[in-house]
Amino acid sequence: MNQTIDLILSHRSIRQFTAEPIVPQQLDVILAAAQSASTSSFLQVTSIVRVSEPEARQQLAMLAGNQPYVVQAAEFLVFCADYHRHSQIVPEAQTGYAEQLLIGVYIGGIRNHPAEVSELLGLPHQVIPLFGLCLGHPAQQPEQKPRLPRGLVVHQERYQHELDRDLLARYDQQIADYYQARSSNNKQQTWSSQIRAILGKESRPFMLGFLQSRGFNLK
C-alpha cells in the first residue's frame, strides 16, 4: 500500500545490534515520531528516560531478565506513564484512578459506557473494550496540534523531578496561539488550564468497578 505499511508488515524483534551509533538528528526524529502518537484528552502523560551510562545499562539488562541487547543497542529508552509532571502543574489534581492508567495510553470515548458496549458486542468475562479506531479516506486536513517540548518529556539517565517552568510557559503560549488560530473549534485555553480542567475531577469513576466485574484489577 505504501512504505509505512510495508515497514510495519516487516516488523521483527531485533536482539543483536552493530556498534554504529544513532546520530542526534536521527534520535530527535524518532522521539518526535513517538510524541506524535494519539494522546487521550491531550494529556500527554508519557515520559521517556534515555539511559546511556554503561553501568546503568548493565543493571537494567539484569533487571529485565538478563537481556544483553539492552547493553548492546545504540540507544535504550524507558517509556513511563507519568502524572508527576501534571501534579506539579495542578497540585490539586485528582490522580491514582484505574481509568487514568488507560487514558494515559489510549484514546477511548468507547469507555464512556463500557458495560453497555460489552453487552452490545457480546464480550465475555475477562474481555474489556479499550478504544475504537476509525479508518477511511480523510475529507479534511486539520492543523497539527503541537506536542510538549522534548525537554519536558525526555530525561537523561534519571527522571528530572523539577519541572522547567519557563519551558512550560512557552509551550502554554504556543498552545494558546494554536487554539486561537486553528480553522475550527477556536477557544482560549493553555495546555496547563486544559490539564487542570481534566485532572481537577475524577474521570469515569465507574471504571474500577467495571474492570473488577470483568475479572481485572482483582489483586
Side-chain angles (χ1 to χ4, degrees):
M1 297 176 66
N2 59 47
Q3 288 183 331
T4 302
I5 296 297
D6 289 342
L7 179 62
I8 294 173
L9 290 173
S10 69
H11 170 77
R12 292 161 176 76
S13 294
I14 305 301
R15 295 183 173 87
Q16 293 183 3
F17 299 91
T18 71
E20 182 180 2
I22 294 176
V23 300
Q25 295 86 346
Q26 291 174 320
L27 180 60
D28 192 59
V29 171
I30 290 168
L31 293 171
Q35 279 192 265
S36 296
S38 296
T39 168
S40 185
S41 301
F42 201 36
L43 282 176
Q44 301 186 83
V45 295
T46 302
S47 277
I48 304 169
V49 182
R50 179 189 181 213
V51 183
S52 302
E53 293 177 354
E55 183 177 345
R57 288 272 204 106
Q58 290 282 357
Q59 293 183 41
L60 286 170
M62 179 187 66
L63 293 171
N66 296 312
Q67 303 185 64
Y69 35 89
V70 171
V71 177
Q72 297 165 358
E75 295 283 344
F76 188 69
L77 308 174
V78 179
F79 287 77
C80 309
D82 179 9
Y83 281 95
H84 176 72
R85 175 169 57 237
H86 300 68
S87 294
Q88 292 186 73
I89 299 170
V90 187
E92 70 276 17
Q94 301 280 328
T95 60
Y97 298 107
E99 164 66 8
Q100 288 175 344
L101 183 57
L102 300 176
I103 205 174
V105 181
Y106 294 103
I107 57 173
I110 203 165
R111 296 196 306 276
N112 288 341
H113 299 281
E116 291 87 342
V117 170
S118 298
E119 182 178 359
L120 177 66
L121 300 181
L123 303 183
H125 191 63
Q126 296 180 319
V127 178
I128 57 174
L130 290 179
F131 66 98
L133 173 65
C134 298
L135 296 177
H137 297 281
Q140 61 172 167
Q141 191 165 359
E143 296 85 355
Q144 189 173 25
K145 189 180 292 184
R147 294 300 196 257
L148 278 167
R150 210 89 72 244
L152 294 179
V153 175
V154 180
H155 307 251
Q156 184 66 46
E157 305 305 341
R158 296 177 62 82
Y159 189 95
Q160 308 303 310
H161 291 259
E162 291 302 317
L163 195 66
D164 187 330
R165 297 284 177 175
D166 291 336
L167 193 56
L168 175 64
R170 292 196 293 272
Y171 180 63
D172 273 336
Q173 186 59 56
Q174 184 184 17
I175 291 299
D177 294 341
Y178 160 80
Y179 280 140
Q180 282 289 296
R182 68 180 180 181
S183 55
S184 63
N185 193 24
N186 301 97
K187 55 185 175 181
Q188 292 184 335
Q189 190 174 47
T190 65
W191 187 70
S192 292
S193 64
Q194 184 171 345
I195 297 309
R196 181 169 286 105
I198 294 170
L199 296 183
K201 61 183 184 304
E202 182 184 359
S203 177
R204 299 187 178 107
F206 49 79
M207 188 54 69
L208 178 59
F210 170 74
L211 291 172
Q212 292 173 336
S213 74
R214 308 295 288 187
F216 292 81
N217 283 35
L218 297 177
K219 300 178 182 178

